[in-house]
Amino acid sequence: MNPADIVTDAQWTLVVLFIAAPLLVLAALLASPFAIGGIAGLLRRRRAARSGRP
């Protein structure tokens, strides 16, 4: 294997990472309010059920 090939391979992985990482961060930021709201809703429902109130 040619050293130049290794460099181009490494560059591609870096490019992919630099494109994928911000997209993953963006997706996490967009999804986090729904995830937090869902978890809070579940906790609220469990607490209400335990105290006997609807």
Side-chain angles (χ1 to χ4, degrees):
M1 191 148 176
N2 212 356
D5 291 339
I6 297 168
V7 170
T8 52
D9 285 350
Q11 281 177 335
W12 270 113
T13 49
L14 281 173
V15 167
V16 168
L17 278 173
F18 272 97
I19 291 170
L23 286 175
L24 283 171
V25 169
L26 238 159
L29 285 173
L30 286 172
S32 60
F34 299 108
I36 292 167
I39 293 166
L42 281 173
L43 287 173
R44 208 174 299 129
R45 216 175 299 146
R46 279 179 55 196
R47 206 173 298 137
R50 202 178 307 147
S51 66
R53 274 186 272 128

